[in-house]
Amino acid sequence: MKKITIGFLGLGLIGGSIARSIKKNYPDSQILVYSRRKNEDLIQGQKDGIIDSIFYTIDSHFTPCDIIFLCAPVLQNIKFLSILKPILSDSCIITDVGSVKGNIHKEVEKLSLGTHFIGGHPMAGSEKTGFANSSEDLLKNSYYLLTPCEATPKENLAFLQDILSGTGSTFAIVDAATHDDITAAISHVPHIVAASLVNMVRKNDTPDELMKVFAAGGFKDITRIASSSPEMWESICLSNAESIHRFLTFLIDDLIAVRTHIEKKEGEKIHELFSTARDYRDSID
């Protein structure tokens, strides 16, 4: 394989983990990074040999790229597309790591970039953020969802998977609409619930914050993801509003039903709630 050049627009936890994996498996690869401002973590990444060059504008420096990863918040990734279009080589693949796909696919179609774009979403992460917390093993044994366009050449999809194979992920191909429903149900709504639970306690705690003091395993486990980036989750909620609204409505309806069961002391229905949830949760691999 020829020496490959990979660009990253933004480089945080997920993008940084991908970059580390690529550099490990393709040590001769060139890793180019765009950053809005000077970042000491990225400068350290350059000293460590993960990053080859850091740029503070998106220009012809990225024209040699074989693949460009969009690793900013979802709405910013969409804005990058029109900036990239004039400087792309004919063979360059654009992919992203965002957890919403519908909006970016619409912009790709609008800009006639279907032959270049393959949506991507590594189903891994951490409540920690930033390049400093990235790891070449972060994506290992996780699913990596890909949403190619109708115009995506098969060889481009195969090439992207090959470059990402060192992450240890399992690839799955889905369409953009299905992807957004999946992530709304298993990621976006749970993050909203976690944040809401934390704020419920915050707003109703005792004057001496005893709820906060005694918050232990169960509460901490279920709300761990509330420590994620507020900027990122604002962007996700605005980008996937339709699917989130639908699944949040399902959850609210279920919570109202549970409240009624508790109010009426309907033990059998309360038992069924926990029984069916336990069985389904235990069936998850």
Side-chain angles (χ1 to χ4, degrees):
M1 180 183 290
K2 71 179 181 71
K3 188 174 182 179
I4 57 174
T5 301
I6 311 292
F8 288 86
L9 305 192
L11 197 67
L13 176 73
I14 298 297
S17 298
I18 292 171
R20 290 179 187 276
S21 171
I22 292 174
K23 202 67 172 180
K24 179 182 178 180
N25 290 278
Y26 299 93
D28 292 334
S29 62
Q30 290 288 303
I31 302 292
L32 314 182
V33 175
Y34 161 75
S35 178
R36 288 184 302 164
R37 62 180 72 90
K38 288 190 176 181
N39 181 306
E40 291 302 320
D41 291 340
L42 297 185
I43 293 171
Q44 185 61 50
Q46 192 171 20
K47 292 177 181 177
D48 293 341
I50 304 300
I51 299 168
D52 293 284
S53 299
I54 303 172
F55 303 105
Y56 301 98
T57 56
I58 302 170
D59 54 25
S60 58
H61 285 107
F62 290 89
T63 300
C65 289
D66 298 288
I67 303 173
I68 295 177
F69 286 87
L70 311 182
C71 300
V74 175
L75 294 177
Q76 183 58 52
N77 285 340
I78 294 172
K79 294 178 181 178
F80 283 147
L81 293 171
S82 60
I83 300 172
L84 284 171
K85 184 176 180 179
I87 63 172
L88 289 176
S89 69
D90 291 340
S91 60
C92 181
I93 297 169
I94 305 174
T95 187
D96 72 324
V97 299
S99 68
V100 184
K101 289 290 168 277
N103 285 5
I104 196 166
H105 270 274
K106 288 177 182 176
E107 186 69 9
V108 165
E109 185 176 347
K110 176 183 173 183
L111 295 172
S112 301
L113 288 171
T115 57
H116 291 275
F117 187 73
I118 301 171
H121 180 199
M123 301 290 284
S126 168
E127 71 276 13
K128 297 179 180 179
T129 60
F131 179 78
N133 293 303
S134 62
S135 164
E136 63 188 38
D137 294 324
L138 182 69
L139 277 58
K140 192 174 183 179
N141 298 322
S142 66
Y143 280 104
Y144 200 122
L145 303 187
L146 296 171
T147 61
C149 301
E150 288 186 10
T152 299
K154 291 182 179 179
E155 58 269 24
N156 283 10
L157 185 59
F159 179 64
L160 178 62
Q161 288 179 282
D162 185 55
I163 296 302
L164 289 169
S165 61
T167 62
S169 300
T170 298
F171 299 106
I173 311 297
V174 296
D175 65 84
T178 300
H179 169 278
D180 287 356
D181 279 350
I182 291 169
T183 53
I186 67 172
S187 177
H188 303 164
V189 168
H191 274 81
I192 293 168
V193 169
S196 298
L197 280 172
V198 172
N199 281 327
M200 179 197 70
V201 171
R202 177 183 61 82
K203 290 185 288 187
N204 295 283
D205 206 349
T206 61
D208 47 358
E209 295 190 326
L210 290 179
M211 293 183 189
K212 180 179 179 181
V213 170
F214 297 134
F219 182 79
K220 289 181 178 178
D221 287 345
I222 201 171
T223 60
R224 174 185 58 81
I225 53 178
S227 296
S228 300
S229 163
E231 292 78 15
M232 179 180 74
W233 281 99
E234 176 187 357
S235 182
I236 287 171
C237 287
L238 293 176
S239 300
N240 200 23
E242 184 177 339
S243 290
I244 290 173
H245 181 275
R246 184 163 67 258
F247 285 94
L248 200 54
T249 299
F250 293 154
L251 177 62
I252 291 169
D253 289 346
D254 284 346
L255 288 174
I256 291 172
V258 172
R259 184 178 66 183
T260 299
H261 298 330
I262 292 173
E263 181 183 12
K264 294 183 177 181
K265 294 182 170 52
E266 296 172 333
E268 184 177 338
K269 291 184 178 179
I270 296 170
H271 183 277
E272 183 183 6
L273 163 74
F274 288 102
S275 176
T276 55
R278 179 197 61 193
D279 292 346
Y280 188 77
R281 177 64 179 81
D282 290 347
S283 73
I284 297 176
D285 186 0

